[in-house]
């Protein structure tokens, strides 16, 4: 079972990096860490420390900035590149 899970994780890693970028993969890794901490608090009643809370807030803020700048970059690319139908 452990082998199947490991192969699935590796396959999903290749899919994410292939469709997006290595930076996006790292951002998703940080999101996963935040979710693990949140679920640990919710399900296991692990106490949050100040360090956990600050780390989660910084990570979420960074993910928001990354998403914003990626969206802005995609908008610039779409406005510069004409659609394929106008080239035909």
């Amino acid at each position: 079972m452990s082998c199947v899970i490991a192969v699935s994780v590796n396959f999903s890693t290749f899919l994410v990096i292939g469709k997006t970028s290595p930076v996006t993969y790292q951002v998703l890794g940080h999101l996963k860490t935040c979710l693990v901490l949140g679920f640990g608090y919710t399900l296991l009643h692990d106490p949050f420390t100040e360090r956990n809370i600050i780390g989660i807030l910084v990570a979420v803020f960074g993910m928001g900035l990354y998403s914003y700048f990626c969206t802005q970059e995609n908008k610039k690319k779409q406005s510069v590149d004409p659609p394929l139908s106008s080239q035909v």
Side-chain angles (χ1 to χ4, degrees):
M1 185 64 173
S2 177
C3 179
V4 170
I5 292 171
V7 168
S8 299
V9 168
N10 287 334
F11 184 69
S12 67
T13 299
F14 288 122
L15 288 177
V16 169
I17 291 174
K19 294 287 182 183
T20 58
S21 70
V23 176
T24 303
Y25 176 71
Q26 287 299 316
V27 170
L28 287 174
H30 292 302
L31 174 64
K32 180 185 76 170
T33 301
C34 292
L35 291 174
V36 165
L37 288 172
F39 285 130
Y41 173 75
T42 304
L43 299 176
L44 305 175
H45 304 291
D46 285 343
F48 271 129
T49 64
E50 277 186 30
R51 188 174 182 179
N52 292 114
I53 294 169
I54 291 170
I56 289 172
L57 292 175
V58 168
V60 169
F61 180 73
M63 286 180 241
L65 281 177
Y66 177 75
S67 298
Y68 172 77
F69 286 119
C70 282
T71 303
Q72 294 301 317
E73 185 177 329
N74 286 338
K75 285 181 182 178
K76 283 183 185 178
K77 285 180 182 179
Q78 288 176 355
S79 67
V80 172
D81 295 336
L84 291 176
S85 61
S86 67
Q87 293 178 351
V88 174

